[in-house]
Amino acid sequence: GRQAETVLEIGFGMGASLAEQALHEPEKNFLGIEVHPPGVANLCALLAEQKISNVRVLQHDAVEVLRDMIAPTSLGRVQVYFPDPWPKLRHQKRRILQTAFVQVLVQKIQSGGLFHMATDWVPYAEEVLQLCAQQPELRNTGEGFCPRPDFRPETKFEKRGIGIGHDIRDILFTKK
């Protein structure tokens, strides 16, 4: 019932970066979706330990949640950080950020709201950049990839990617 901008994070992993964001942006509501039970439990523990009250957690499939449970134009920001890149060609159909999903996602973002994706898998980043550029309601906030915005904490997957020599790519689009 709290009236505030809502930030949706899809696939928050173990939840540390989502908890950190919620702590640093107490004026916003956060909704985290994750299917991995240990991640959900870990985030709930972090929220309780740090007495963070502006986060709600859903353990469910993000495609169904976005399609059936989120009202149109209700989200101020949607973030997908370091999603599984499914690098093998035969597995790429499992990637969450595909045309149909992004089209639904765009409907849920309010005018002026943001879509933010970060990954260390450059081919996936290039694919998502092109996919978002093809959405008439989205506008890239930069020219191609963007520098990491201040609101995005460094994640465990980001640190691991950097450690093995991967380049990090941030994609940031605003809804017209």
Side-chain angles (χ1 to χ4, degrees):
R2 188 175 97 126
Q3 295 298 315
E5 178 183 336
T6 300
V7 177
L8 170 65
E9 181 161 345
I10 298 171
F12 57 76
M14 295 304 282
S17 66
L18 180 55
E20 183 178 337
Q21 277 188 304
L23 192 61
H24 289 85
E25 297 181 80
E27 74 284 0
K28 295 183 179 163
N29 292 332
F30 287 84
L31 174 62
I33 303 172
E34 178 61 61
V35 294
H36 187 59
V40 171
N42 193 67
L43 175 58
C44 289
L46 289 171
L47 298 175
E49 287 169 14
Q50 297 178 39
K51 296 180 176 41
I52 299 171
S53 61
N54 60 331
V55 179
R56 298 297 177 262
V57 182
L58 274 169
Q59 183 181 343
H60 202 76
D61 177 73
V63 174
E64 290 181 17
V65 170
L66 215 57
R67 184 188 66 218
D68 302 333
M69 299 177 201
I70 304 290
T73 68
S74 62
L75 302 173
R77 184 169 77 221
V78 176
Q79 50 198 43
V80 183
Y81 298 152
F82 301 88
D84 193 330
W86 296 103
K88 292 182 181 176
L89 189 58
R90 69 180 184 266
H91 294 152
Q92 288 179 4
K93 64 182 177 257
R94 297 178 184 169
R95 289 178 173 172
I96 190 158
L97 295 173
Q98 297 188 38
T99 302
F101 183 74
V102 171
Q103 288 171 340
V104 171
L105 187 140
V106 168
Q107 296 171 8
K108 308 303 178 168
I109 300 172
Q110 63 195 27
S111 180
L114 296 173
F115 168 68
H116 183 209
M117 186 256 209
T119 184
D120 66 327
W121 197 257
V122 174
Y124 193 14
E126 291 169 345
E127 182 181 314
V128 172
L129 183 66
Q130 183 178 38
L131 174 63
C132 289
Q134 293 170 351
Q135 302 302 312
E137 294 183 70
L138 293 179
R139 180 184 58 79
N140 197 338
T141 63
E143 294 182 22
F145 299 111
C146 297
R148 180 173 65 87
D150 292 338
F151 62 79
R152 181 174 73 75
E154 190 175 63
T155 71
K156 177 181 83 169
F157 284 105
E158 180 175 13
K159 291 174 188 169
R160 185 167 61 185
I162 291 169
I164 58 175
H166 289 187
D167 292 325
I168 306 304
R169 298 286 190 257
D170 279 83
I171 296 169
L172 196 58
F173 278 75
T174 188
K175 184 172 178 183
K176 297 176 186 174

